[in-house]
Amino acid sequence: MQIKFEIPFRLPSLNDLIHATNRNRFVGARLKKNTENDILWVLKNVHQKVDGPITAKFIWYEQTKKRDKDNVCSAKKYIFDALQTSGILPNDNNKYIMDISDSFVYNQGNKVIVILETFYTENLKKLEVIPK
């Protein structure tokens, strides 16, 4: 199973959240809540639900290279929280999120493409550490 959706706008980075929180903790909380509400609006078009472990792939589109990659991809916190609030993802803990990967594309606008794929138990065998 695969769930794919696009968030057609730029999400706040970790630096944006820190700056807002330093101004006032309520401003930071409002930024997080408004961002999650914007993502929830996009998720209204997703009609599938996750029923087991998944891998999450994020493709981050940035117009410029001004923002550091670690600050840009910190926005997955908003995405996972919105997925949980919408009921698409039961929880964003290690039981449901088996792997996360990030890719970056520059000079093609600001958006995020999210791909959630079922993590099959056969993949666990590949990850097992074999004792010597």
Side-chain angles (χ1 to χ4, degrees):
M1 175 195 65
Q2 185 183 72
I3 300 173
K4 182 177 180 179
F5 59 93
E6 178 181 318
I7 300 169
F9 47 85
R10 181 180 186 211
L11 294 172
S13 69
L14 180 60
N15 286 345
D16 296 331
L17 179 63
I18 290 170
H19 177 71
T21 304
N22 284 343
R23 284 179 41 212
N24 183 311
R25 66 182 171 156
F26 300 110
V27 174
R30 187 175 340 120
L31 172 71
K32 183 177 182 300
K33 183 175 180 167
N34 289 344
T35 302
E36 285 181 30
N37 286 338
D38 292 342
I39 296 168
L40 283 168
W41 185 256
V42 171
L43 293 177
K44 289 181 188 256
N45 297 322
V46 177
H47 303 291
Q48 297 169 291
K49 295 199 183 301
V50 170
D51 56 356
I54 59 154
T55 60
K57 297 178 185 176
F58 296 88
I59 305 169
W60 305 92
Y61 287 78
E62 288 281 311
Q63 189 60 43
T64 66
K65 292 185 177 183
K66 288 182 180 179
R67 301 196 308 167
D68 294 340
K69 291 178 179 174
D70 58 339
N71 282 315
V72 171
C73 67
S74 67
K76 23 182 179 219
K77 173 67 176 157
Y78 308 123
I79 297 170
F80 282 134
D81 288 350
L83 284 165
Q84 195 172 342
T85 301
S86 69
I88 295 170
L89 187 66
N91 202 319
D92 60 356
N93 62 18
N94 289 328
K95 180 179 176 183
Y96 290 97
I97 310 293
M98 299 304 290
D99 191 32
I100 299 171
S101 64
D102 296 294
S103 299
F104 297 86
V105 179
Y106 293 101
N107 303 322
Q108 293 188 20
N110 292 308
K111 65 181 177 182
V112 184
I113 295 177
V114 181
I115 304 167
L116 307 176
E117 292 183 317
T118 302
F119 187 87
Y120 296 102
T121 53
E122 303 89 60
N123 294 343
L124 287 174
K125 293 177 184 172
K126 295 178 188 174
L127 295 175
E128 287 179 0
V129 177
I130 301 172
K132 292 183 180 182

